[in-house]
Amino acid sequence: MSAFPQPTDGEPLDFHTERDEQSRSWTRARPNAALIERFGRFGYKVTLRGGEDVHYCALGVEEDKYIGRCDCKGWKYHDGPCAHLCTLRKAAFIGLIDVEKTDGSPGDEHEMRQMTGETFDGERFDGAIERAQEEVCHR
């Protein structure tokens, strides 16, 4: 079982349901019309056609099942994968990207969270925590 939190009940990303139900996320996902830039082992920057914002996604394969996350509101507030993750899945299917395998280890989990800006390494994160603590103490 994966160490990665999932959008609904802890299961891997269910792209089959998105496809079968022709969800809004699935129909918006057009990898040939999107800008996809890889960074890091699991990280992708995705901009959909007609979208103004770049979204940071992480996608990996664990035991032949896709796992991932995104920094968009669709990922945060809705069940199932967002349009950005659906775009990456379609891009993998047609050979535009190669999705890396993960073993579900805490190190891989941390790396995926870094790709979506949920965690930071080093001074930047520590400095932000210290400033927030100082502000609370001075109130």
Side-chain angles (χ1 to χ4, degrees):
M1 187 60 155
S2 175
F4 297 100
Q6 301 300 324
T8 54
D9 60 357
E11 296 299 314
L13 297 172
D14 188 0
F15 292 113
H16 290 136
T17 298
E18 298 297 311
R19 178 200 64 204
D20 294 347
E21 294 178 357
Q22 289 296 297
S23 72
R24 179 155 164 68
S25 292
W26 189 260
T27 58
R28 284 186 64 210
R30 295 189 175 132
N32 289 324
L35 176 60
I36 301 171
E37 297 177 70
R38 185 173 192 148
F39 70 100
R41 197 165 126 217
F42 303 113
Y44 299 88
K45 296 178 194 176
V46 178
T47 306
L48 300 179
R49 179 179 215 139
E52 296 177 15
D53 297 326
V54 174
H55 288 282
Y56 292 83
C57 305
L59 188 65
V61 176
E62 181 181 327
E63 298 176 4
D64 297 322
K65 299 191 190 265
Y66 286 89
I67 57 170
R69 39 195 332 101
C70 184
D71 70 352
C72 76
K73 290 180 182 178
W75 168 259
K76 186 173 183 180
Y77 296 113
H78 301 289
D79 290 341
C82 64
H84 308 99
L85 289 169
C86 288
T87 298
L88 292 174
R89 176 61 185 101
K90 286 181 177 183
F93 181 77
I94 62 175
L96 292 178
I97 64 170
D98 292 318
V99 179
E100 295 288 327
K101 291 188 185 267
T102 174
D103 59 8
S105 68
D108 282 359
E109 177 184 358
H110 181 73
E111 190 173 341
M112 287 186 100
R113 287 180 177 272
Q114 282 183 307
M115 300 299 103
T116 59
E118 295 171 80
T119 60
F120 299 100
D121 273 339
E123 206 55 41
R124 179 175 165 195
F125 185 69
D126 295 341
I129 290 173
E130 289 171 7
R131 283 191 302 281
Q133 289 172 336
E134 287 175 9
E135 288 177 18
V136 169
C137 290
H138 292 349
R139 288 184 183 173

